[in-house]
Amino acid sequence: MSKNLVIVESPAKAKTIENYLGADFTVKSSFGHVRDLPEHDMGVDVENNFMPIYEISADKVKVVNELRKLAKEAEEVWLATDDDREGEAISWHLKEALGLPDNTKRIVFREITKTALKNAIGKPRLIDIDLVNAQQARRILDRLVGYELSPVLWKKIRIGKSSLSAGRVQSVAVRIIVEREREIDAFQSKSSFKVTARFDLGQGKVLNAELPKNFETEADALAFLERCLGATFTIKNLETKPAKKTPAPPFTTSTLQQEASRKLSFSVSQTMTVAQKLYEAGKISYMRTDSTNLSEEAMGKAKEQISKEYGTHYHHQRVFKTKSESAQEAHEAIRPTDFSTQVASKDRNEQRLYELIWKRAIASQMADAQLERTTATVGISSTREELIAQGEVIKFDGFLKVYLESSDEEGDEEQKGMLPPLNIGQVLALSDLKATERFTRHAPRYTEASLVKKLEEMGIGRPSTYAPTISTIQKRGYVVKEDREGQQRTFKELTLQDNQIKSKVSSENYGSEKSKLFPTSTGMIVNDFLVSNFQDIIDYSFTASVEKDFDNIADGKIPWQTMIERFYKGFHGKVAEAQEQKIDRSLTSRDLGEDPVTGKKVSVRVGKYGPYVQIGDVEDEEKPKFASLLKGQLMETITFEEAMELFKLPREVGFFEDQALVVNIGKYGPYVKHDGKFYSLATTDDPMAVTEERLIDIIQEKRQADSSRTIREYDENPNAKVLNGKYGPYISFGKRNIKIPKGTEPASLTYEDILKLAEGTEEKPAKAKAPARKPAAKKTKK
DNA sequence: CAGTGAGCGAGCTTCCGCTTGACTT
């Protein structure tokens, strides 16, 4: 056993550090936090100065036991968790859990290099209890908010099949999505006419120019074209200005998620999983960071690589200031551990992400790109308006040699090309002059990654929680990530060509969405409830204001209990008030009108399985009719006409193999039922309009897919099959899935073999919760 | 999984922020 035990948070980091520190040091990791408030209880004694109750987390018992043993054997323990609020708290919890003395040495370093480590070891300090208290305040505030608000939702809004929840971070994330959707719903598109001209310069060269301002009406656009009939077009002015482009800083968690989403179409969680693999393989630095900082050593290595690969004039050292105010900067920016490594993995996605990280980090240490922007003004003999043509020439590519950041704006950033050679006074031959109707666009819906960006800008959430937050709001049923088909619309186009003006009407698809976040009715209802009852908690500035308090606690200016007390007084009062309120049914239902046939009331409500329309009342003699809403329809916005359409389901859409094809919509979306089996419709199929041919296709496709997965079937039992799954072959036996023992050839399994293998396994219950069992359990208690 | 949805009401759910595997079909 070595003399020194060093404890860090991550095992990969432990391994690296051990190599640097030598034989006298054993380096172990805590795997993050080891103690926390209890999961199934508030764990905060509100009556007793908010005293928290901590317990060793279930999955950390083993780690803690091992560390306790090693700590006893060691002469000296060094707490080397991250240099931020959470890291300080982890050290304190370790000290408490391992029974270490108060003077245990605490060391910090922000980059893993030999010098940084030596410096840290030479300058140990004690645990900063003020900083720990700031973390405790953060933890307790989040617990109070989350565990008091969520039960209010359970009591006041019982909808959806998943349990509802609220919290400082997730509720704001949902609010952002809901408000954007409402903004889009209220958006009125305006059309205008954009004028573009094409000139033929001969020898295959073309000049494209446009009018700087659009015309608001077709009449204005037409009048302009008429004025241009027979006009002469001349280059009136040429202006050239130097310009430059500067590289973006190296990646933080949030910017990595955004770029991987735009350039590689990765989901936020996929990015993190792939990055974790690269980190564990030692290929990149830590991937959960809010810092854009590179270590001196890293900048030196980047310089070497750039000079070697592109020449020294491509290098330009840059130190980036971190933008975000909430940044805690315990780590470096995300960068390759070795800049000379360009191939880091055989896995395609790992390699693609690595390349992105490598390029971005390298580019951040490269020279600006030098450009030349040329603006040509085209005068028109018959009118005072002028056309403008713009071009760009790259004089020195600099960092553009390796990397260009992409943008969220759709299609706006067309690459400007070079202008052909032009002279002032040159007369241009017009090929055509067009006025095309264009429409203003609503603000874009959020993607996972652009929501992360927004949250980060608002200082809400941390690098380690962006991905989990995004998945929580989807799991709770507040938000769905979907593709939506666009709609057709027509637009007008006026063309002046060969001294004639022609008008044409064309159609285009607009508003289609891919992998965007949409609020559900549940999300909107819960959001509205929270906004009207807990305005300040889900206010966009709430986190920022409590962060100021946490800073004051960390600076020793106020005791954490004072801050929590002050907050809790007002907050708990509002919780109590909301509990007293009658359930507001208008939140979860809306009247649409009367059925013209029966005169019965038509209303839309949100039930256990989502929003649905109901005709009639449960008290009526005749049972009410129900129909679920389609994807994309919301309780808040559905119209009476759309609602009545739904009652055309279930529809019988023809026959196949002597059985009817019935289209309906279930809990999990639209499906076609045929011969007692269910086949899901694709998201692009409209259940109201899908044809017989298409349905037969769907059935045959599904059968084809199933049969290609089947390795063996059994006459004795149609429910027993050997199938090929994502992770290799397995046995599907009724509702059970059984592992195939190692060394067994799946195709050789007989039915008897399967029965034997099934013996030891338990039948999986259809639903995890067996409702009949619970009351019985209570009886025994009594 | 897929012919629910109200209300009755037992007993359940839940937060944010640090970390990795275990598990899946």
Side-chain angles (χ1 to χ4, degrees), chain A residues 593-640:
Chain A
E594 271 183 9
D595 181 2
V597 184
T598 58
K600 283 181 180 171
K601 195 172 85 175
V602 179
S603 59
V604 55
R605 304 159 182 231
V606 179
K608 228 193 309 190
Y609 302 104
Y612 64 96
V613 183
Q614 179 177 331
I615 303 181
D617 210 39
V618 277
E619 274 133 48
D620 298 349
E621 254 180 65
E622 202 186 337
K623 275 197 174 175
K625 287 201 280 181
F626 299 105
S628 298
L629 264 58
L630 297 174
K631 177 170 130 182
Q633 292 180 333
L634 289 170
M635 187 201 103
E636 286 73 14
T637 50
I638 192 169
T639 63
F640 178 76

Side-chain angles (χ1 to χ4, degrees), chain A residues 309-332:
Chain A
E309 193 98 352
Y310 313 108
T312 49
H313 58 303
Y314 273 94
H315 174 258
H316 185 270
Q317 178 161 327
R318 291 168 205 275
V319 177
F320 293 94
K321 284 238 165 64
T322 302
K323 262 191 290 175
S324 149
E325 264 184 45
S326 57
Q328 306 201 3
E329 306 223 38
H331 303 97
E332 280 187 68

Side-chain angles (χ1 to χ4, degrees), chain A residues 382 435 440 476 527 567 740:
Chain A
S382 57
T440 52
R476 298 274 172 271
N527 177 66
F567 160 76
I740 295 174

Side-chain angles (χ1 to χ4, degrees), chain A residues 181-182 184-185 445 479-485 487 511 513 516-522 524 590 604 610-611 628-639 642-643 646 665-670 683-687:
Chain A
E181 194 66 23
R182 295 223 166 105
I184 290 170
D185 196 50
R445 289 197 174 82
V479 161
V480 284
K481 181 170 90 175
E482 280 178 352
D483 299 345
R484 297 263 170 98
E485 277 192 277
Q487 288 161 306
E513 299 275 25
K516 292 287 170 62
L517 299 175
F518 296 85
T520 62
S521 287
T522 309
M524 287 188 156
R590 189 162 74 91
V604 55
S628 298
L629 264 58
L630 297 174
K631 177 170 130 182
Q633 292 180 333
L634 289 170
M635 187 201 103
E636 286 73 14
T637 50
I638 192 169
T639 63
E642 285 165 342
L646 295 170
I665 185 137
K667 261 195 272 198
Y668 301 95
T683 51
T684 46
D685 290 315
D686 179 358

